[in-house]
Amino acid sequence: MERTLSIIKPDGVKKGLIGEIIKRFEQEGFKIAAMKMIWMNKKQAEGFYAVHKDKPFYNSLTDFMSSGPVVVMVLEGDNVIKRNREIMGATDPKKAADGTIRKMYADNVEQNIVHGSDAPETAKFEISYFFNSLEIVD
Ligand code: UDP
Ligand code: MG
């Protein structure tokens, strides 16, 4: 069993897509092992996306991620990191495959509805950024 961190970003929450996205995860057979709604401040968003701190989009991205509440989740399942990335679709919704969350709902490459960890090491860091072990259902 593998774990990944999912975030419904501020645009997804504002568009009323929390239910749709959770439903999709459940239909996919992912187990939701933890979930909460939070509103990150700029510093917290910067810490989460520290890996991108030298990118030109870092300041705008962290403004966006701290612009409203998000839903953070730990998803669990076989190969869930890769499977979640497939369901999300490409970072840029214009390049995302039909039926993916980003293709269906995202406005642009920044405001792209969902985040998903991209590898086991990043999943570990990202899960521990938001959840302690007592908050994750075993
Ligand atoms: N992003 C952006 N402009 C870009 C690339 C990425 O604003 O040219 C934002 C977008 O919200 C993306 C996040 O930065 O989801 C993290 O980028 P990454 O390359 O890790 O994409 P992801 O893993 O989310 O598909
Ligand atoms: Mg990424």
Side-chain angles (χ1 to χ4, degrees):
M1 273 298 166
E2 192 174 71
R3 284 176 174 169
T4 194
L5 184 87
S6 169
I7 306 178
I8 304 175
K9 296 183 178 185
D11 56 334
V13 173
K14 285 195 184 93
K15 287 183 176 187
L17 294 170
I18 297 171
E20 284 301 315
I21 292 167
I22 291 174
K23 184 174 170 186
R24 182 75 183 269
F25 291 156
E26 288 184 330
Q27 283 170 343
E28 210 62 37
F30 300 163
K31 182 185 159 205
I32 297 166
M35 174 162 61
K36 62 187 169 190
M37 178 177 271
I38 58 164
W39 188 332
M40 281 186 272
N41 63 32
K42 176 82 170 168
K43 282 264 170 295
Q44 291 164 335
E46 285 172 349
F48 178 71
Y49 275 122
V51 63
H52 291 309
K53 66 180 185 314
D54 296 326
K55 303 271 173 59
F57 57 80
Y58 182 62
N59 187 50
S60 178
L61 170 64
T62 52
D63 274 347
F64 164 57
M65 289 300 286
S66 57
S67 68
V70 300
V71 175
V72 287
M73 278 174 267
V74 176
L75 305 177
E76 208 171 72
D78 288 329
N79 209 15
V80 71
I81 295 173
K82 181 158 173 281
R83 286 168 62 208
N84 181 47
R85 298 280 302 183
E86 282 166 5
I87 292 166
M88 289 163 54
T91 308
D92 183 349
K94 292 198 293 286
K95 295 173 188 157
D98 282 347
T100 62
I101 291 170
R102 284 166 166 173
K103 174 73 169 200
M104 288 194 286
Y105 303 122
D107 289 335
N108 56 62
V109 68
E110 178 182 86
Q111 307 205 1
N112 59 5
I113 307 285
V114 278
H115 167 85
S117 311
D118 63 5
E121 316 80 67
T122 47
K124 202 165 182 217
F125 164 75
E126 291 176 358
I127 289 169
S128 68
Y129 196 76
F130 295 109
F131 296 98
N132 68 48
S133 60
L134 290 176
E135 295 172 307
I136 303 171
V137 175
D138 227 340

